[in-house]
């Protein structure tokens, strides 16, 4: 009797919450199921097998023998025996009494069976959709995914509760979290149709793929009906500021579908970083190299940026051939695109012996262009003393802080975000570089031309060592120190 009273009080307290706009769907304490392998578990399984084979009386006897031991499975299954009435006349009152005992302990199958009976009604008890909804929700809170799905449909349809899309969607999400394939498919459909403000075609695809993994027969056709995941979709996500999703789409397109334009976008994301996307210069160089090899606009110079930045942090993970390729990419941008900051990149790779290049001629050629025509401070710092002294290039020792900072605040200058880059991306058919108009240009444009193009002798008098700015010692061969 105490258990029946407890169940009634529980239903009464839940009734008020059932009509709140934000329905309470937090989990309730788990009911004590029989431990697999225990005597109670094995006896119950044997009774289920007997019942399924038509040996109803034998099954009933086993379940009744388990009742005194508090088996919730026995209460629930014996309730089914009386509800179905295959061996006896249906006795709904006995079924309800048995289920309520188990329901009072939040046993999901008993709660679900009660909810279904309240929804249908039985002789002398008309259907009570309100009570059915409440009990379905309680079964869902106890962990029954089907109960959560049914309750969601009732909330959407206004059955037993005022129509409430928000609560219905939360119940549907609960059903999906509990693993109901239909919930996966329905969640996807809501996102596809725009009924969920937080969803979109990408999240719809994810839900459909989950339904497909659960074997839902309609999932494959639902996926096929979606627009294709292509570079246009990725750039749309980028413009919306959904950078992590844009990166995920671009990365998948790059490495699984050989879309070189997506490689450029994915590489640019990992080069610059964005909300939800961490910088990873090595990965960026790999993606951008693929785009560079396919002659995607600006991909080669961004590839060189990634190698230059990454080599100052973890140089040991880069193959030496990649340094030469990055240097050549900078040289090409300097020669053919008049990207004078790329000229400084050539100087960078030839100035430090670690890279194995060390070409004085390249430093003199590209340093002059980067300094005189581009006003790049790093190019000036390296080239001007060498030019005035007319000495062979003396490569620097690697400092504890890295190779140097010829890039300076390159990435800082463009970290205003990929959102700005999205506009440039759109204006250039989806292939312009986030460095365009910024990167080195932004870093060097903050320096006045008079500061960069100072008189050579004045420069030498003002700078005691050509390595001062980079924490490197003055070479003994430099008479101007």
């Amino acid at each position: 009797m105490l258990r029946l009273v407890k169940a009634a009080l529980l239903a009464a307290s839940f009734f008020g919450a059932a009509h709140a706009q934000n329905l309470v769907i937090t989990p309730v304490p788990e009911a004590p199921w029989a431990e697999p392998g225990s005597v109670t578990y094995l006896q119950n399984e044997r009774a289920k097998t007997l019942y399924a084979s038509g040996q109803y009386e034998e099954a009933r006897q086993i379940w009744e023998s388990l009742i005194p031991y508090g088996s919730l499975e026995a209460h629930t299954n014996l309730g089914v025996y009386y509800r179905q009435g295959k061996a006896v006349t249906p006795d709904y009152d006995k079924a309800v009494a048995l289920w309520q005992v188990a329901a009072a302990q939040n046993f999901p199958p008993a709660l679900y069976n009660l909810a279904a009976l309240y929804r249908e009604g039985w002789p002398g008890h008309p259907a009570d959709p309100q009570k059915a909804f409440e009990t379905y929700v309680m079964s869902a809170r106890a962990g029954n995914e089907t109960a959560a799905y049914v309750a969601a449909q009732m909330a959407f349809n206004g059955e037993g509760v005022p129509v409430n899309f928000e609560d219905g969607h939360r119940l549907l999400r609960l059903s999906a979290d509990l693993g109901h394939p239909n919930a996966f498919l329905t969640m996807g459909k809501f996102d596809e149709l725009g009924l969920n403000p937080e969803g979109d075609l990408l999240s719809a695809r994810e839900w459909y793929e989950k339904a497909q993994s659960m074997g839902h027969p309609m999932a494959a056709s639902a996926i096929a009906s979606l627009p294709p995941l292509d570079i246009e979709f990725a750039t749309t996500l980028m413009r919306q500021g959904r950078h992590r999703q844009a990166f995920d789409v671009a990365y998948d397109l790059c490495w699984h579908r050989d879309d070189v334009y997506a490689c450029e976008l994915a590489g640019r994301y990992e080069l610059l970083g964005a909300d939800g996307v961490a910088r990873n210069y090595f990965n960026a160089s790999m993606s951008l190299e693929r785009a560079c090899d396919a002659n995607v606009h600006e991909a080669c110079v961004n590839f060189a940026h990634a190698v230059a930045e990454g080599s100052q942090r973890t140089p040991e993970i880069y193959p030496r051939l990649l340094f030469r390729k990055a240097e050549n990419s900078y040289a090409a941008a300097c020669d053919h695109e008049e990207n004078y900051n790329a000229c400084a990149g050539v100087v960078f790779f030839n100035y430090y012996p670690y890279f194995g290049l060390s070409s004085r001629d390249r430093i003199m050629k590209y340093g002059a262009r980067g300094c005189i025509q581009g006003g790049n401070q790093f190019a000036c710092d390296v080239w001007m003393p060498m030019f005035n002294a007319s000495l062979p290039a003396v490569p620097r020792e690697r400092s504890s802080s890295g190779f140097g900072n010829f890039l300076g605040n390159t990435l800082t200058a463009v970290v205003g975000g990929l959102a700005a880059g999205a506009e440039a991306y759109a204006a250039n058919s989806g292939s312009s570089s986030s460095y365009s108009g910024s990167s080195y240009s932004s870093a060097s444009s903050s320096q006045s031309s008079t500061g960069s193009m100072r008189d050579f002798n004045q420069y030498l008098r003002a700078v005691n060592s050509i390595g001062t700015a980079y924490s490197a010692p003055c070479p003994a061969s430099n008479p101007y120190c």
Side-chain angles (χ1 to χ4, degrees):
M1 180 61 70
L2 289 176
R3 288 182 177 177
L4 293 177
V5 171
K6 180 181 177 182
L9 290 174
L10 184 63
S13 64
F14 182 71
F15 172 78
H19 296 284
Q21 185 172 1
N22 290 317
L23 189 67
V24 176
I25 59 172
T26 53
V28 294
E30 186 175 358
W33 292 72
E35 289 291 333
S38 65
V39 173
T40 301
Y41 176 87
L42 295 174
Q43 286 289 85
N44 183 64
E45 290 299 309
R46 178 168 177 267
K48 285 163 61 177
T49 302
L50 291 170
Y51 190 86
S53 64
Q55 301 179 66
Y56 305 117
E57 181 60 24
E58 291 84 346
R60 180 189 65 79
Q61 291 176 5
I62 293 175
W63 283 325
E64 286 189 343
S65 71
L66 296 175
I67 292 295
Y69 297 98
S71 169
L72 301 184
E73 291 93 333
H75 280 84
T76 302
N77 292 331
L78 192 57
V80 172
Y81 171 88
Y82 286 113
R83 165 65 179 86
Q84 292 183 343
K86 292 185 175 180
V88 294
T89 303
D91 191 330
Y92 294 95
D93 291 337
K94 281 189 177 182
V96 170
L98 286 162
W99 288 339
Q100 285 179 333
V101 171
Q105 297 187 55
N106 301 326
F107 194 57
L111 284 162
Y112 183 87
N113 291 345
L114 276 174
L117 194 58
Y118 294 147
R119 194 182 190 190
E120 297 171 8
W122 69 95
H125 297 79
D128 189 341
Q130 179 178 294
K131 195 171 184 179
F133 175 77
E134 297 166 0
T135 312
Y136 274 130
V137 172
M138 186 56 71
S139 181
R141 295 176 65 187
N144 189 303
E145 69 276 10
T146 305
Y149 187 78
V150 174
Q153 303 305 313
M154 294 179 74
F156 291 138
N157 297 327
E159 181 185 352
V161 65
V163 174
N164 190 315
F165 178 84
E166 181 181 351
D167 284 346
H169 195 265
R170 292 172 65 239
L171 285 164
L172 188 65
R173 179 59 186 261
L174 175 61
S175 179
D177 289 344
L178 292 171
H180 199 292
N182 281 342
F184 292 145
L185 197 74
T186 308
M187 287 288 289
K189 184 57 67 176
F190 279 6
D191 287 0
E192 179 184 355
L193 297 177
L195 298 176
N196 175 21
E198 299 178 354
D200 57 20
L201 294 177
L202 186 61
S203 58
R205 180 179 293 273
E206 291 171 352
W207 284 116
Y208 289 153
E209 288 174 348
K210 290 179 181 178
Q212 187 176 42
S213 68
M214 295 287 289
H216 198 291
M218 298 175 62
S221 60
I223 294 172
S225 68
L226 290 173
L229 290 180
D230 54 19
I231 188 62
E232 291 184 9
F233 185 56
T235 53
T236 297
L237 291 171
M238 180 173 67
R239 295 186 193 102
Q240 294 173 349
R242 303 178 64 183
H243 298 302
R244 181 69 220 186
Q245 292 167 313
F247 168 73
D248 287 342
V249 172
Y251 189 88
D252 180 73
L253 290 171
C254 171
W255 292 99
H256 299 122
R257 308 189 193 185
D258 297 321
D259 186 326
V260 292
Y261 291 95
C263 292
E264 192 277 333
L265 179 57
R268 193 149 38 94
Y269 259 117
E270 292 200 285
L271 174 62
L272 298 175
D275 186 20
V277 184
R279 291 177 182 174
N280 187 318
Y281 299 116
F282 182 77
N283 287 351
S285 67
M286 295 298 99
S287 296
L288 289 165
E289 184 181 25
R290 298 188 77 180
C292 174
D293 290 343
N295 298 315
V296 176
H297 181 60
E298 295 289 352
C300 291
V301 73
N302 280 343
F303 156 73
H305 289 330
V307 176
E309 288 290 340
S311 67
Q312 296 182 75
R313 292 160 176 80
T314 52
E316 66 280 357
I317 69 174
Y318 289 87
R320 290 300 177 95
L321 289 177
L322 216 59
F323 298 144
R324 171 64 73 184
K325 189 171 184 177
E327 191 254 13
N328 285 335
S329 295
Y330 272 140
C334 178
D335 292 338
H336 305 303
E337 301 173 21
E338 297 184 347
N339 184 335
Y340 298 117
N341 294 291
C343 302
V346 179
V347 176
F348 172 75
F349 278 110
N350 284 281
Y351 188 57
Y352 293 99
Y354 180 87
F355 300 117
L357 304 179
S358 303
S359 170
R360 180 180 184 278
D361 290 341
R362 300 278 275 189
I363 292 176
M364 297 303 292
K365 174 184 176 181
Y366 289 96
R369 296 177 66 185
C371 178
I372 296 174
Q373 294 175 271
N376 184 280
Q377 191 65 56
F378 176 83
C380 292
D381 287 348
V382 174
W383 171 73
M384 280 197 275
M386 291 175 61
F387 176 81
N388 282 284
S390 299
L391 294 174
V394 179
R396 295 244 173 248
E397 293 296 326
R398 198 176 149 198
S399 70
S400 60
S401 60
F403 294 115
N405 62 345
F406 90 93
L407 292 179
N409 59 356
T410 294
L411 297 184
T412 305
V414 293
V415 82
L418 283 166
E423 297 179 4
Y425 197 95
N428 292 277
S429 302
S431 60
S432 75
S433 167
S434 292
Y435 286 100
S436 178
S438 54
S439 88
Y440 299 125
S441 301
S442 295
S444 61
S445 64
S446 64
Q447 305 161 354
S448 67
S449 59
T450 56
S452 297
M453 302 304 296
R454 71 191 81 181
D455 176 80
F456 292 163
N457 291 325
Q458 180 183 0
Y459 174 82
L460 289 175
R461 286 194 301 270
V463 180
N464 186 45
S465 165
I466 63 172
T468 300
Y470 308 107
S471 302
C474 177
S477 58
N478 187 348
Y480 294 94
C481 290

